[in-house]
PDB file of all heavy atoms in Angstrom:
ATOM      1  N   GLY A 881      98.089  47.682 101.079  1.00 88.00           N
ATOM      2  CA  GLY A 881      99.247  48.561 101.324  1.00 88.00           C
ATOM      3  C   GLY A 881      99.008  49.557 102.439  1.00 88.00           C
ATOM      4  O   GLY A 881      99.678  50.588 102.497  1.00 88.00           O
ATOM      5  N   PHE A 882      98.080  49.313 103.296  1.00 91.00           N
ATOM      6  CA  PHE A 882      97.728  50.146 104.478  1.00 91.00           C
ATOM      7  C   PHE A 882      97.169  51.517 104.099  1.00 91.00           C
ATOM      8  O   PHE A 882      96.171  51.945 104.643  1.00 91.00           O
ATOM      9  CB  PHE A 882      98.920  50.344 105.431  1.00 91.00           C
ATOM     10  CG  PHE A 882      99.754  49.106 105.657  1.00 91.00           C
ATOM     11  CD1 PHE A 882     101.134  49.153 105.603  1.00 91.00           C
ATOM     12  CD2 PHE A 882      99.143  47.871 105.920  1.00 91.00           C
ATOM     13  CE1 PHE A 882     101.903  48.011 105.805  1.00 91.00           C
ATOM     14  CE2 PHE A 882      99.906  46.734 106.126  1.00 91.00           C
ATOM     15  CZ  PHE A 882     101.292  46.799 106.061  1.00 91.00           C
ATOM     16  N   ASN A 883      97.860  52.196 103.178  1.00 94.00           N
ATOM     17  CA  ASN A 883      97.395  53.528 102.763  1.00 94.00           C
ATOM     18  C   ASN A 883      97.165  54.481 103.925  1.00 94.00           C
ATOM     19  O   ASN A 883      96.119  55.124 104.035  1.00 94.00           O
ATOM     20  CB  ASN A 883      96.106  53.418 101.936  1.00 94.00           C
ATOM     21  CG  ASN A 883      96.425  53.160 100.471  1.00 94.00           C
ATOM     22  OD1 ASN A 883      97.546  53.397 100.035  1.00 94.00           O
ATOM     23  ND2 ASN A 883      95.445  52.685  99.731  1.00 94.00           N
ATOM     24  N   LEU A 884      98.164  54.582 104.775  1.00 95.00           N
ATOM     25  CA  LEU A 884      98.077  55.594 105.837  1.00 95.00           C
ATOM     26  C   LEU A 884      98.657  56.907 105.312  1.00 95.00           C
ATOM     27  O   LEU A 884      99.448  56.903 104.369  1.00 95.00           O
ATOM     28  CB  LEU A 884      98.860  55.124 107.066  1.00 95.00           C
ATOM     29  CG  LEU A 884      98.316  53.862 107.735  1.00 95.00           C
ATOM     30  CD1 LEU A 884      99.241  53.414 108.861  1.00 95.00           C
ATOM     31  CD2 LEU A 884      96.904  54.080 108.259  1.00 95.00           C
ATOM     32  N   LEU A 885      98.246  58.008 105.923  1.00 94.00           N
ATOM     33  CA  LEU A 885      98.792  59.307 105.516  1.00 94.00           C
ATOM     34  C   LEU A 885     100.169  59.485 106.153  1.00 94.00           C
ATOM     35  O   LEU A 885     100.332  59.311 107.360  1.00 94.00           O
ATOM     36  CB  LEU A 885      97.860  60.439 105.949  1.00 94.00           C
ATOM     37  CG  LEU A 885      96.520  60.439 105.207  1.00 94.00           C
ATOM     38  CD1 LEU A 885      95.554  61.428 105.847  1.00 94.00           C
ATOM     39  CD2 LEU A 885      96.703  60.759 103.735  1.00 94.00           C
ATOM     40  N   LYS A 886     101.128  59.800 105.288  1.00 90.00           N
ATOM     41  CA  LYS A 886     102.509  59.916 105.754  1.00 90.00           C
ATOM     42  C   LYS A 886     102.679  61.119 106.690  1.00 90.00           C
ATOM     43  O   LYS A 886     101.927  62.080 106.627  1.00 90.00           O
ATOM     44  CB  LYS A 886     103.446  60.100 104.557  1.00 90.00           C
ATOM     45  CG  LYS A 886     103.791  58.799 103.857  1.00 90.00           C
ATOM     46  CD  LYS A 886     104.725  59.051 102.683  1.00 90.00           C
ATOM     47  CE  LYS A 886     103.909  59.400 101.442  1.00 90.00           C
ATOM     48  NZ  LYS A 886     104.731  59.632 100.268  1.00 90.00           N
ATOM     49  N   ARG A 887     103.699  61.063 107.471  1.00 87.00           N
ATOM     50  CA  ARG A 887     104.068  62.180 108.349  1.00 87.00           C
ATOM     51  C   ARG A 887     102.910  62.672 109.215  1.00 87.00           C
ATOM     52  O   ARG A 887     102.741  63.851 109.467  1.00 87.00           O
ATOM     53  CB  ARG A 887     104.646  63.339 107.529  1.00 87.00           C
ATOM     54  CG  ARG A 887     106.086  63.050 107.133  1.00 87.00           C
ATOM     55  CD  ARG A 887     106.722  64.207 106.456  1.00 87.00           C
ATOM     56  NE  ARG A 887     106.584  64.104 105.025  1.00 87.00           N
ATOM     57  CZ  ARG A 887     107.100  64.960 104.161  1.00 87.00           C
ATOM     58  NH1 ARG A 887     107.742  66.003 104.596  1.00 87.00           N
ATOM     59  NH2 ARG A 887     106.946  64.800 102.875  1.00 87.00           N
ATOM     60  N   MET A 888     102.066  61.722 109.578  1.00 92.00           N
ATOM     61  CA  MET A 888     100.954  62.046 110.456  1.00 92.00           C
ATOM     62  C   MET A 888     100.925  60.941 111.498  1.00 92.00           C
ATOM     63  O   MET A 888     101.158  59.784 111.165  1.00 92.00           O
ATOM     64  CB  MET A 888      99.666  61.972 109.634  1.00 92.00           C
ATOM     65  CG  MET A 888      98.873  63.233 109.632  1.00 92.00           C
ATOM     66  SD  MET A 888      97.208  62.821 109.219  1.00 92.00           S
ATOM     67  CE  MET A 888      96.838  64.055 108.081  1.00 92.00           C
ATOM     68  N   THR A 889     100.640  61.298 112.737  1.00 95.00           N
ATOM     69  CA  THR A 889     100.664  60.279 113.783  1.00 95.00           C
ATOM     70  C   THR A 889      99.562  59.253 113.554  1.00 95.00           C
ATOM     71  O   THR A 889      98.591  59.516 112.842  1.00 95.00           O
ATOM     72  CB  THR A 889     100.444  60.912 115.159  1.00 95.00           C
ATOM     73  OG1 THR A 889      99.166  61.529 115.158  1.00 95.00           O
ATOM     74  CG2 THR A 889     101.517  61.939 115.470  1.00 95.00           C
ATOM     75  N   ALA A 890      99.740  58.085 114.188  1.00 96.00           N
ATOM     76  CA  ALA A 890      98.723  57.039 114.119  1.00 96.00           C
ATOM     77  C   ALA A 890      97.388  57.608 114.598  1.00 96.00           C
ATOM     78  O   ALA A 890      96.344  57.381 113.985  1.00 96.00           O
ATOM     79  CB  ALA A 890      99.140  55.862 114.984  1.00 96.00           C
ATOM     80  N   LEU A 891      97.466  58.391 115.648  1.00 96.00           N
ATOM     81  CA  LEU A 891      96.250  58.977 116.218  1.00 96.00           C
ATOM     82  C   LEU A 891      95.524  59.849 115.195  1.00 96.00           C
ATOM     83  O   LEU A 891      94.315  59.705 114.979  1.00 96.00           O
ATOM     84  CB  LEU A 891      96.648  59.813 117.435  1.00 96.00           C
ATOM     85  CG  LEU A 891      95.492  60.326 118.297  1.00 96.00           C
ATOM     86  CD1 LEU A 891      94.837  59.157 119.007  1.00 96.00           C
ATOM     87  CD2 LEU A 891      95.992  61.341 119.307  1.00 96.00           C
ATOM     88  N   ASP A 892      96.270  60.731 114.541  1.00 94.00           N
ATOM     89  CA  ASP A 892      95.635  61.621 113.561  1.00 94.00           C
ATOM     90  C   ASP A 892      95.146  60.850 112.341  1.00 94.00           C
ATOM     91  O   ASP A 892      94.118  61.180 111.757  1.00 94.00           O
ATOM     92  CB  ASP A 892      96.608  62.724 113.132  1.00 94.00           C
ATOM     93  CG  ASP A 892      96.722  63.820 114.185  1.00 94.00           C
ATOM     94  OD1 ASP A 892      95.808  63.898 115.035  1.00 94.00           O
ATOM     95  OD2 ASP A 892      97.711  64.573 114.175  1.00 94.00           O
ATOM     96  N   ASN A 893      95.892  59.802 111.954  1.00 96.00           N
ATOM     97  CA  ASN A 893      95.438  58.963 110.848  1.00 96.00           C
ATOM     98  C   ASN A 893      94.075  58.358 111.157  1.00 96.00           C
ATOM     99  O   ASN A 893      93.182  58.367 110.316  1.00 96.00           O
ATOM    100  CB  ASN A 893      96.447  57.851 110.578  1.00 96.00           C
ATOM    101  CG  ASN A 893      97.344  58.183 109.400  1.00 96.00           C
ATOM    102  OD1 ASN A 893      96.883  58.213 108.258  1.00 96.00           O
ATOM    103  ND2 ASN A 893      98.610  58.445 109.668  1.00 96.00           N
ATOM    104  N   VAL A 894      93.950  57.836 112.374  1.00 96.00           N
ATOM    105  CA  VAL A 894      92.687  57.199 112.750  1.00 96.00           C
ATOM    106  C   VAL A 894      91.571  58.243 112.843  1.00 96.00           C
ATOM    107  O   VAL A 894      90.422  57.981 112.508  1.00 96.00           O
ATOM    108  CB  VAL A 894      92.847  56.441 114.081  1.00 96.00           C
ATOM    109  CG1 VAL A 894      91.531  55.847 114.534  1.00 96.00           C
ATOM    110  CG2 VAL A 894      93.897  55.344 113.941  1.00 96.00           C
ATOM    111  N   ALA A 895      91.931  59.460 113.264  1.00 95.00           N
ATOM    112  CA  ALA A 895      90.913  60.496 113.511  1.00 95.00           C
ATOM    113  C   ALA A 895      90.436  61.191 112.241  1.00 95.00           C
ATOM    114  O   ALA A 895      89.355  61.778 112.233  1.00 95.00           O
ATOM    115  CB  ALA A 895      91.469  61.531 114.484  1.00 95.00           C
ATOM    116  N   THR A 896      91.240  61.129 111.161  1.00 94.00           N
ATOM    117  CA  THR A 896      90.917  61.926 109.973  1.00 94.00           C
ATOM    118  C   THR A 896      89.502  61.719 109.412  1.00 94.00           C
ATOM    119  O   THR A 896      88.842  62.691 109.058  1.00 94.00           O
ATOM    120  CB  THR A 896      91.986  61.709 108.880  1.00 94.00           C
ATOM    121  OG1 THR A 896      93.258  61.976 109.452  1.00 94.00           O
ATOM    122  CG2 THR A 896      91.772  62.641 107.709  1.00 94.00           C
ATOM    123  N   PRO A 897      88.989  60.473 109.345  1.00 95.00           N
ATOM    124  CA  PRO A 897      87.622  60.341 108.820  1.00 95.00           C
ATOM    125  C   PRO A 897      86.603  61.145 109.618  1.00 95.00           C
ATOM    126  O   PRO A 897      85.638  61.673 109.055  1.00 95.00           O
ATOM    127  CB  PRO A 897      87.333  58.842 108.944  1.00 95.00           C
ATOM    128  CG  PRO A 897      88.675  58.199 108.916  1.00 95.00           C
ATOM    129  CD  PRO A 897      89.590  59.166 109.612  1.00 95.00           C
ATOM    130  N   LEU A 898      86.847  61.289 110.902  1.00 93.00           N
ATOM    131  CA  LEU A 898      85.903  62.054 111.728  1.00 93.00           C
ATOM    132  C   LEU A 898      85.938  63.540 111.365  1.00 93.00           C
ATOM    133  O   LEU A 898      84.928  64.230 111.462  1.00 93.00           O
ATOM    134  CB  LEU A 898      86.217  61.871 113.215  1.00 93.00           C
ATOM    135  CG  LEU A 898      85.836  60.519 113.807  1.00 93.00           C
ATOM    136  CD1 LEU A 898      86.130  60.502 115.295  1.00 93.00           C
ATOM    137  CD2 LEU A 898      84.368  60.217 113.563  1.00 93.00           C
ATOM    138  N   LEU A 899      87.113  64.038 110.948  1.00 90.00           N
ATOM    139  CA  LEU A 899      87.201  65.441 110.543  1.00 90.00           C
ATOM    140  C   LEU A 899      86.302  65.679 109.335  1.00 90.00           C
ATOM    141  O   LEU A 899      85.624  66.696 109.238  1.00 90.00           O
ATOM    142  CB  LEU A 899      88.638  65.821 110.187  1.00 90.00           C
ATOM    143  CG  LEU A 899      89.637  65.801 111.330  1.00 90.00           C
ATOM    144  CD1 LEU A 899      90.997  66.255 110.844  1.00 90.00           C
ATOM    145  CD2 LEU A 899      89.163  66.699 112.464  1.00 90.00           C
ATOM    146  N   TYR A 900      86.310  64.695 108.421  1.00 92.00           N
ATOM    147  CA  TYR A 900      85.450  64.839 107.237  1.00 92.00           C
ATOM    148  C   TYR A 900      83.984  64.611 107.593  1.00 92.00           C
ATOM    149  O   TYR A 900      83.102  64.928 106.822  1.00 92.00           O
ATOM    150  CB  TYR A 900      85.911  63.894 106.132  1.00 92.00           C
ATOM    151  CG  TYR A 900      87.256  64.300 105.566  1.00 92.00           C
ATOM    152  CD1 TYR A 900      88.353  63.460 105.632  1.00 92.00           C
ATOM    153  CD2 TYR A 900      87.409  65.553 104.986  1.00 92.00           C
ATOM    154  CE1 TYR A 900      89.586  63.851 105.134  1.00 92.00           C
ATOM    155  CE2 TYR A 900      88.630  65.957 104.489  1.00 92.00           C
ATOM    156  CZ  TYR A 900      89.722  65.111 104.560  1.00 92.00           C
ATOM    157  OH  TYR A 900      90.928  65.504 104.067  1.00 92.00           O
ATOM    158  N   ALA A 901      83.750  64.043 108.775  1.00 92.00           N
ATOM    159  CA  ALA A 901      82.366  63.887 109.229  1.00 92.00           C
ATOM    160  C   ALA A 901      81.913  65.129 109.982  1.00 92.00           C
ATOM    161  O   ALA A 901      80.772  65.205 110.427  1.00 92.00           O
ATOM    162  CB  ALA A 901      82.248  62.654 110.113  1.00 92.00           C
ATOM    163  N   GLY A 902      82.824  66.104 110.128  1.00 89.00           N
ATOM    164  CA  GLY A 902      82.456  67.365 110.766  1.00 89.00           C
ATOM    165  C   GLY A 902      82.568  67.341 112.274  1.00 89.00           C
ATOM    166  O   GLY A 902      81.976  68.169 112.955  1.00 89.00           O
ATOM    167  N   ILE A 903      83.330  66.404 112.787  1.00 90.00           N
ATOM    168  CA  ILE A 903      83.478  66.323 114.246  1.00 90.00           C
ATOM    169  C   ILE A 903      84.788  67.001 114.644  1.00 90.00           C
ATOM    170  O   ILE A 903      85.796  66.856 113.950  1.00 90.00           O
ATOM    171  CB  ILE A 903      83.465  64.843 114.685  1.00 90.00           C
ATOM    172  CG1 ILE A 903      82.037  64.297 114.464  1.00 90.00           C
ATOM    173  CG2 ILE A 903      83.877  64.686 116.141  1.00 90.00           C
ATOM    174  CD1 ILE A 903      81.937  62.817 114.513  1.00 90.00           C
ATOM    175  N   ASN A 904      84.780  67.741 115.726  1.00 87.00           N
ATOM    176  CA  ASN A 904      85.969  68.542 116.043  1.00 87.00           C
ATOM    177  C   ASN A 904      87.141  67.682 116.489  1.00 87.00           C
ATOM    178  O   ASN A 904      86.997  66.525 116.856  1.00 87.00           O
ATOM    179  CB  ASN A 904      85.637  69.641 117.053  1.00 87.00           C
ATOM    180  CG  ASN A 904      85.474  69.106 118.456  1.00 87.00           C
ATOM    181  OD1 ASN A 904      86.333  68.388 118.971  1.00 87.00           O
ATOM    182  ND2 ASN A 904      84.353  69.435 119.071  1.00 87.00           N
TER     183      ASN A 904
END
Side-chain angles (χ1 to χ4, degrees):
Chain A
F882 318 134
N883 275 342
L884 296 175
L885 293 170
K886 279 180 274 181
R887 282 186 267 183
M888 237 202 225
T889 61
L891 189 69
D892 282 341
N893 260 291
V894 176
T896 306
L898 286 183
L899 294 182
Y900 292 119
I903 291 165
N904 75 51

